[in-house]
Amino acid sequence: MYKVTIQSTGRHFPVAPGETVLEAAQRAGIALPYSCRAGVCGSCKATLIEGYCDYPFNPPVALSGTSPAQHAILLCQAVPRCDLTIEAREVTSVEDIARRQVDVVVSRKWMLAPDVIGLHLKPASADARLTWLPGQYLDVLLDGGRRRPFSIANHPQADGTIELHVRHVAGGGFTSWVNDTLQVGDPLRIEGPLGTFVPREDAERPMIFMAGGTGFAPVKAIVEHFIALGTRRPMHVYWGARQAADLYMREQAERWAASAHDLSFHAVLSDAEQALASGIRPGFVHEAVLQDHPDLSGYDVYMSGPPAMIDAGRKLFTGAGLPEERLYYDSFDYAPDVLAQILGNRAGIVGL
Ligand SMILES: Cc1cc2nc3c(=O)[nH]c(=O)nc-3n(C[C@H](O)[C@H](O)[C@H](O)COP(=O)(O)OP(=O)(O)OC[C@H]3O[C@@H](n4cnc5c(N)ncnc54)[C@H](O)[C@@H]3O)c2cc1C
Ligand code: FES
């Protein structure tokens, strides 16, 4: 067993042979940031102060472009080769919530947009109720150990109802099954809560929220949480999609803007013709954020949605002065097993 120490807090935990730093931290009840668990999104990036590690599973794709002098480490893939000292941001608010596998039943299924399905899941029994923080996600457990991650679109309800917004991915096995076959009354097994995309309440800074497509789901949960708290912090909510129909809860977001204290809502469409026809602002959603807020140094930014949007936000927002530690995100990548297969195929092709 090797030992990993977090330099700033002095907290430490043992890592079993072959275990990743993230898995070992979770086993020890220490919450370090993560999202995709596949090495591609970069949300688990930390600084390696001392020691060495290997990447025996997926290659650390999210470190490409990082210079060796920056001593970066990807916690979800790094397996220590000796004792390590790291610097990482702990997300203590999620530490006390136990992750559980529970059975749920589909209690409602409806079309939110032409390719987005809304699902309500109810606990199958009284002890199958999940607790979560707004913005966290769950895994739907499938045969053969496969999992499909989806963000929870609501905050915890008295009856335990979980709301999901599921985009039907072309060629996607699970989401096609949800679209074509899943019915009200069907059972599902889920595990949660997962992820560290949660509200940070230790500051008074204004906040920017940027969602792409169904990335609106966790943003909705977090914004509703801040509204329920009666926050006085200004909130600027941006939601980007290709066409107007994809902004499937636009009226709800407009109601927030009309009733909440200092909240503005901005819809953005990337399809220029659709934008012209609907009168909605044209362009990419990250461009709209930067046009309105060219200096992001005084903000906290939350973003979730497709990997391309997240990549653009990571690069451009930090370039506009946003400190990296105040950028919180969930990248809607494919499931870890699918990414492992894709990365494995790619490594085989290029002879890595
Ligand atoms: C933290 C997180 C939260 C998320 N939250 C949401 C959410 O709230 N709503 C939402 O809609 N989505 C969300 N996603 C994305 C969602 O998990 C994926 O869309 C889902 O896993 C797709 O499952 P599937 O079985 O339908 O597709 P899969 O069968 O996994 O296939 C996905 C795609 O990959 C392709 N593919 C599969 N295998 C290979 C291979 N070997 N090589 C090349 N291509 C391949 C398929 O053709 C298909 O296009 C989230 C993702 C993450 C990581
Ligand atoms: S790269 Fe590690 S969680 Fe995404």
Side-chain angles (χ1 to χ4, degrees):
M1 287 252 193
Y2 294 123
K3 184 169 99 172
V4 174
T5 304
I6 302 170
Q7 189 178 45
S8 53
T9 59
R11 294 177 90 189
H12 53 84
F13 50 92
V15 187
E19 197 177 29
T20 65
V21 177
L22 182 67
E23 285 164 349
Q26 288 177 337
R27 204 166 37 75
I30 295 177
L32 300 177
Y34 72 96
S35 176
C36 74
R37 294 166 294 167
V40 298
C41 79
S43 73
C44 68
K45 198 167 83 179
T47 306
L48 181 61
I49 309 286
E50 201 173 355
Y52 301 95
C53 55
D54 286 327
Y55 292 96
F57 305 115
N58 292 356
V61 176
L63 292 186
S64 62
T66 317
S67 78
Q70 289 173 290
H71 302 297
I73 176 176
L74 274 194
L75 302 174
C76 75
Q77 299 299 316
V79 172
R81 272 191 1 215
C82 58
D83 288 352
L84 304 182
T85 303
I86 62 171
E87 194 48 273
R89 290 173 280 147
E90 294 176 52
V91 193
T92 46
S93 55
V94 306
E95 271 177 10
D96 297 333
I97 308 177
R99 173 169 153 182
R100 303 170 63 211
Q101 294 193 358
V102 296
D103 293 309
V104 293
V105 174
V106 178
S107 60
R108 187 177 170 215
K109 174 182 171 182
W110 75 107
M111 294 312 291
L112 283 165
D115 66 349
V116 181
I117 303 131
L119 289 181
H120 276 173
L121 311 177
K122 283 239 161 90
S125 61
D127 63 355
R129 193 169 288 196
L130 274 196
T131 307
W132 68 89
L133 287 182
Q136 288 193 288
Y137 70 92
L138 53 77
D139 274 348
V140 178
L141 306 180
L142 306 176
D143 293 344
R146 291 171 309 133
R147 297 159 168 265
R148 294 294 179 263
F150 292 94
S151 300
I152 305 173
N154 55 347
H155 48 88
Q157 309 287 304
D159 68 354
T161 298
I162 292 170
E163 179 176 316
L164 303 182
H165 302 169
V166 177
R167 186 172 71 85
H168 179 198
V169 177
F174 175 71
T175 58
S176 297
W177 178 78
V178 168
N179 187 61
D180 303 340
T181 310
L182 183 74
Q183 291 183 6
V184 169
D186 284 349
L188 289 173
R189 190 155 178 81
I190 59 172
E191 180 172 335
L194 294 159
T196 52
F197 186 60
V198 294
R200 299 334 200 251
E201 290 163 29
D202 54 353
E204 287 307 314
R205 281 181 290 273
M207 296 175 278
I208 291 174
F209 298 88
M210 178 172 80
T214 50
F216 185 69
V219 162
K220 168 180 175 285
I222 296 176
V223 169
E224 285 179 343
H225 168 81
F226 278 114
I227 292 174
L229 277 184
T231 186
R232 309 301 285 175
R233 298 168 67 181
M235 294 192 276
H236 308 281
V237 182
Y238 290 79
W239 188 5
R242 203 180 63 75
Q243 51 180 3
D246 299 334
L247 300 171
Y248 51 82
M249 286 190 170
R250 191 174 149 212
E251 283 175 10
Q252 177 150 351
E254 280 164 352
R255 278 198 298 274
W256 295 337
S259 59
H261 172 80
D262 209 351
L263 187 152
S264 63
F265 172 64
H266 311 263
V268 186
L269 293 183
S270 59
D271 183 312
E273 277 180 27
Q274 288 275 334
L276 194 63
S278 58
I280 294 176
R281 181 174 180 172
F284 288 111
V285 64
H286 63 272
E287 292 169 351
V289 169
L290 284 169
Q291 278 158 12
D292 296 353
H293 307 277
D295 177 1
L296 289 172
S297 58
Y299 289 87
D300 284 358
V301 177
Y302 295 77
M303 57 182 190
S304 86
M309 182 199 83
I310 299 293
D311 281 349
R314 278 170 57 199
K315 285 179 195 124
L316 298 172
F317 293 173
T318 46
L322 179 71
E324 216 177 348
E325 66 275 12
R326 287 203 247 121
L327 177 59
Y328 314 113
Y329 57 90
D330 253 354
S331 179
F332 280 12
D333 289 284
Y334 295 133
D337 64 274
V338 176
L339 285 169
Q341 211 184 331
I342 293 172
L343 292 169
N345 291 347
R346 207 184 287 166
I349 292 165
V350 298
L352 285 176

